[in-house]
């Protein structure tokens, strides 16, 4: 029981921190490499929170995955400056993320 309480508490904590870091990175220096790196860190933290929560409901998991995917799309679009390359990279990452969260 203690392990489940820790996983739940850490998952909620990581979700909150991930959202705060994402919003800070997005509004700090919009459309810059520094902003994109901060958003990437926030998205990875958000994904870590989703993994620790292991949500059974699809809608909450899909909303979290969408937020992570949008953050990664922002990062890879800033890095490559090509929308199609960023979409392909994020599609691969989203497929692996969905597989990992579904079979956790």
């Amino acid at each position: 029981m203690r392990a489940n309480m820790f996983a739940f508490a850490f998952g909620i904590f990581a979700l909150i921190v991930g959202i705060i870091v994402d919003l800070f990175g997005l509004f700090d220096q919009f459309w810059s490499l520094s902003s994109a790196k901060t958003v990437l860190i926030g998205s990875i933290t958000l994904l870590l929170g989703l993994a620790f929560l292991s949500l059974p409901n699809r809608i909450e998991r899909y909303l979290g995955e969408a937020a992570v995917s949008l953050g990664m799309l922002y990062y890879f679009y800033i890095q490559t400056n090509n929308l199609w390359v960023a979409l392909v990279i994020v599609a691969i990452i989203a497929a692996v993320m969905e597989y990992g969260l579904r079979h956790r």
Side-chain angles (χ1 to χ4, degrees), residues 53-97:
L53 280 179
S54 53
L55 297 170
N57 298 338
R58 290 187 189 174
I59 190 75
E60 291 90 1
R61 189 177 72 221
Y62 288 150
L63 287 175
E65 287 178 18
V68 171
S69 296
L70 286 175
M72 290 193 178
L73 181 66
Y74 177 71
Y75 172 75
F76 285 112
Y77 180 70
I78 297 294
Q79 276 290 54
T80 63
N81 205 18
N82 189 344
L83 184 61
W84 293 108
V85 172
L87 282 174
V88 168
I89 292 170
V90 169
I92 292 169
I93 291 172
V96 171
M97 178 175 48

Side-chain angles (χ1 to χ4, degrees), residues 2-14:
R2 281 188 164 192
N4 290 340
M5 286 184 359
F6 171 76
F8 181 76
F10 184 77
I12 295 293
F13 176 73

Side-chain angles (χ1 to χ4, degrees), residues 21-44:
V21 170
D22 267 347
L23 290 175
F24 175 75
L26 193 61
F27 294 122
D28 184 31
Q29 296 174 353
F30 188 68
W31 220 254
S32 69
L33 188 58
S34 173
S35 169
K37 287 179 183 178
T38 307
V39 168
L40 179 68
I41 291 170
S43 294
I44 291 172

